[in-house]
Amino acid sequence: MDATLNALAGILLKGLPTFILFLLLHLYLRRMFFSPIEKVLKQRHEATAGARKAAQDSLKAAEAKAVAFELKLDEVRAKLAQEREATRIQWVARHATRVSEARTKTESKIAAGKAEVLAQASAARITLSAETDRLADEIANSVLRRTA
């Protein structure tokens, strides 16, 4: 057993410089390679997290502006609808006024036309009555001349 322990101690003594070299290599790599990489990765993560937060804030602001824009657009649409309705009501009132004026003018023209027709009919009756008397006299004279 002593021989085994001596052999083991010899192996350990031969492996000790390798272990120390490995330990020094590990410390060197950790300090010179992994620490800077870890530092850069941490900065990168913080930068992307900041960019994500800025993007989220920007998205929230854009959504708020979109909501405000939609509300303003709805207000403008409602105002336009009211203006359109007011214009339509004015147009209907103007149209009704014009129709009423046209009806009044037409009724007065019809009344004047009726009066003119009645006057012409009355004049025609008078003329026909006078003409009838004259024609009756002519016919009577003509019949008397033939019989005589």
Side-chain angles (χ1 to χ4, degrees):
M1 182 127 151
D2 279 337
T4 309
L5 285 177
N6 281 335
L8 185 60
I11 292 173
L12 282 176
L13 277 176
K14 287 182 184 177
L16 190 60
T18 306
F19 178 73
I20 290 173
L21 186 62
F22 182 75
L23 187 60
L24 289 174
L25 180 65
H26 173 71
L27 292 174
Y28 176 76
L29 285 177
R30 188 169 177 201
R31 182 161 186 199
M32 297 306 242
F33 184 69
F34 291 113
S35 285
I37 286 180
E38 202 172 288
K39 190 176 181 182
V40 168
L41 287 175
K42 186 177 179 184
Q43 289 173 350
R44 190 173 172 190
H45 177 70
E46 288 172 0
T48 56
R52 277 191 198 127
K53 186 176 183 316
Q56 287 175 346
D57 292 344
S58 176
L59 184 61
K60 287 179 183 176
E63 287 175 355
K65 284 183 181 180
V67 168
F69 179 76
E70 286 294 327
L71 291 174
K72 195 72 166 174
L73 188 62
D74 288 343
E75 289 175 12
V76 169
R77 284 181 181 156
K79 186 177 179 182
L80 284 175
Q82 288 174 348
E83 288 176 3
R84 222 178 305 139
E85 183 64 19
T87 303
R88 187 189 68 78
I89 289 171
Q90 288 175 352
W91 183 82
V92 167
R94 261 188 271 141
H95 181 69
T97 303
R98 288 179 183 166
V99 167
S100 175
E101 289 172 359
R103 180 174 288 136
T104 303
K105 286 180 184 177
T106 305
E107 287 174 354
S108 67
K109 285 182 182 180
I110 289 173
K114 281 183 180 180
E116 187 179 331
V117 167
L118 288 175
Q120 288 176 355
S122 176
R125 280 191 196 110
I126 293 171
T127 304
L128 282 176
S129 178
E131 194 67 28
T132 306
D133 290 340
R134 187 185 61 78
L135 282 175
D137 287 340
E138 275 184 33
I139 291 172
N141 286 335
S142 173
V143 168
L144 287 176
R145 276 190 226 149
R146 286 193 182 179
T147 56

